[in-house]
Amino acid sequence: MTLPKYMGTGRSTGFVSTAPAAADSGWVTPVASGDTVHIYVADAGGGGSDSNNGLTDATPKLTVATAMALLRDGYPDWLHVKRDSVFTDQDLHVTRNGRGITEPVVVTTYGAGARPLFNCSGALRRIGGGGTPSTRNYVHVEGMSFVHYKRNPDDAAFDATATGGGSMLGTLKYWTIQDCSFRFYANNLIIQKTDGLYCSNVHINRCNFLDSWGRDGAGAGGQTFHSQGLYCEGVDALTITECFFDHNGWNEHASLAGIADRNQFDHNMYLQSDGTEVDIKACTNVILTGNISIRASSHGVQQRSAGTTQRNFFYGNAIAFFSGSFPTEASIVLNNVCEASVDIDGSQLRGWGCELKKNSYGANYEGNIFVNRNSANAVGGMYYSPTATSSGSVTLTSNVGWNWADGAGDFLDIAAGVLSEFTRTGNITDGEDQNGNPVTMVDSDRDLDDYLTSIGEATGIATLYGYHRGRALHAWDADFSADSIVSYYQAGHRLA
C-alpha cells in the first residue's frame, strides 16, 4: 500500500514512513495480499441477505456485523460495502486486526453510486474491553458516510432529546480513515487513549466533519454535553490531511434555540493536552496540513499539544486556531490563511485569528495571512492570550494582516509589557512594516471571493462548502483544496 503522507514517528513504534512521490495523488491506496479474503455486504435493495455466503459481489451479506465476523483476525482481509446501500441503526464496528503496516484489514466500497450510508447513533467504532483485545491495529477504513439521523433537524425521525452518539475509537495503532463523512453527532469522531495505552500512528485523510452539536442543559431532556467535530486525546503520531470541517459545535434550528447555540466550548477540532508528554490526555507528534476549517462554534482548531500547523484555510470561525496552550512539542505554524473571524454572539466578542501562545519547546509562526476580520471586537489577527503555563520563546516572521488590526492599528495584538519577549521580523499590517514604514504589496485586497472568481465560480463561502459537502466518493478538485486557496492568497499578500 502507499503509506500515509506526512506520517510522523510514533513513540510506541519508532515507525517512520518514506516520503510520498512528487506525483502522489493524495490518496492512500491499500493493496490486497496474496491470501486476502474478500467479503461483501449490501442492503436488501443491493441484493444483501445473511443467507448468502458473502464471498462475491453477487452474494453479499445483509448485516454489517455478520459480514465483519467472516474476516479473520490478524490477516489482511477486506470488507467491501456496496455503494448506495443504507444501513439504519447499524454501526460499523471494526472487530479485526490487520497483519501489519502494509497489510491492514480494509473496509472499502464496491459498485457505483454514493458512499454507503450508516444511519445510526454509534457510527464507526472499535471493540475493546470485556475480554476482547485491548487494541485494534493495522486498519484502513474509507468511503463511508455516518449520520445520526435522529439528530438531523430535517429528518422525519428527528428527536431533539436524542443522545449524542458518535464514533468512538479507543486504543489503536496504524489506522487510516479516508474519504469518510461524519454528521450530526455530538462528537462526530473521538479517538482517545484507553486501557492505559496510547493510540499511535493515526492518519485522517480527506474526510468531512459536519454539523455536530451539543446541549447546554436547557430544554427537553436537560442533558448537558459539549460537541466537537473531531476530538483526539492520548494519540501519538496524529496526522490530519486535507479534511473539511464545517459548522461543528452548534445548530441554529428553531427547535434547538437556547439549547445548541454557538458557544466558547465547542470546536471543529479539539486536539487535547494538559501539559506534559506523559499526560494521559496529551496528543504528540501532531501534523495538521492542508485542511479547511470553517464556521465552528468557537475554534477552527484547538491544537493544545502544539505540533505542525501548515497550509490550512480558516474562515468564519470565532477563533481560527491556537497551538500549544499545554504543549508537548514545539509550535510550528506556517503559511496558514485566516479570513473573516466572527463573534460567538453579541455578548461574546471574539474575531480572533491566531491565538498566540508561548511554548517552552519553542514557537515559530511564519508566513501566515489574516484578512478581513468580521467582528465588533477590535482585536488583532494574531492575539497573545497568556495562560498559566505561558513561558518560552515565540518567533513571528513575515506574517501579514489586512483589515484585521487592533485598536492601536497593529494586527500583532501583544501587550506592550511582553512585546520584547517576542522576536518579530518582516511582519506587515495594512501596507506598513512593523516599524510603521509603508510597503507595497502585489495585491493586498485578495480574499476568498476573489479566489472563487479567479476559478470561474460564484462568490461566497457557500460555494466552498457546497463543493465539499457534495463531493462524490474519491472525487477531488484541486481548485477547492486548501493548498490552492493558500497559494492564491500568498501570490497577492506579498511584497511587490
Side-chain angles (χ1 to χ4, degrees), residues 190-243:
I190 297 174
I191 305 175
Q192 69 179 43
K193 173 182 177 179
T194 57
D195 301 324
L197 299 171
Y198 264 80
C199 305
S200 69
N201 292 89
V202 176
H203 185 202
I204 306 172
N205 187 50
R206 292 184 175 175
C207 291
N208 283 1
F209 298 86
L210 311 170
D211 304 319
S212 71
W213 57 273
R215 282 185 165 276
D216 68 359
Q223 307 103 321
T224 298
F225 45 82
H226 293 307
S227 171
Q228 321 300 334
L230 171 65
Y231 178 85
C232 295
E233 173 182 309
V235 183
D236 182 47
L238 171 64
T239 304
I240 305 169
T241 52
E242 296 188 313
C243 292

Side-chain angles (χ1 to χ4, degrees), residues 343-397:
D343 297 322
I344 291 175
D345 57 33
S347 64
Q348 298 182 84
L349 303 184
R350 292 296 187 274
W352 302 357
C354 171
E355 187 179 353
L356 292 171
K357 302 290 185 183
K358 293 182 181 179
N359 188 333
S360 59
Y361 297 88
N364 179 33
Y365 297 79
E366 183 173 352
N368 303 287
I369 299 171
F370 303 82
V371 300
N372 299 336
R373 182 187 65 230
N374 186 19
S375 163
N377 197 15
V379 64
M382 302 187 81
Y383 172 80
Y384 174 55
S385 176
T387 64
T389 59
S390 293
S391 65
S393 63
V394 180
T395 301
L396 306 172
T397 307

Side-chain angles (χ1 to χ4, degrees), residues 259-300:
I259 298 174
D261 295 342
R262 209 165 192 166
N263 65 85
Q264 65 181 311
F265 301 107
D266 300 341
H267 317 292
N268 275 345
M269 284 176 275
Y270 193 131
L271 311 182
Q272 180 65 285
S273 173
D274 276 353
T276 67
E277 192 170 353
V278 296
D279 186 335
I280 189 173
K281 294 184 177 182
C283 291
T284 53
N285 295 308
V286 176
I287 297 176
L288 185 71
T289 185
N291 302 283
I292 295 174
S293 183
I294 66 175
R295 304 192 302 166
S297 173
S298 182
H299 289 65

Side-chain angles (χ1 to χ4, degrees), residues 2-7 17-28 203:
T2 301
L3 293 172
K5 295 166 65 179
Y6 317 111
M7 185 67 90
S17 76
T18 55
D24 185 11
S25 67
W27 297 108
V28 180
H203 185 202

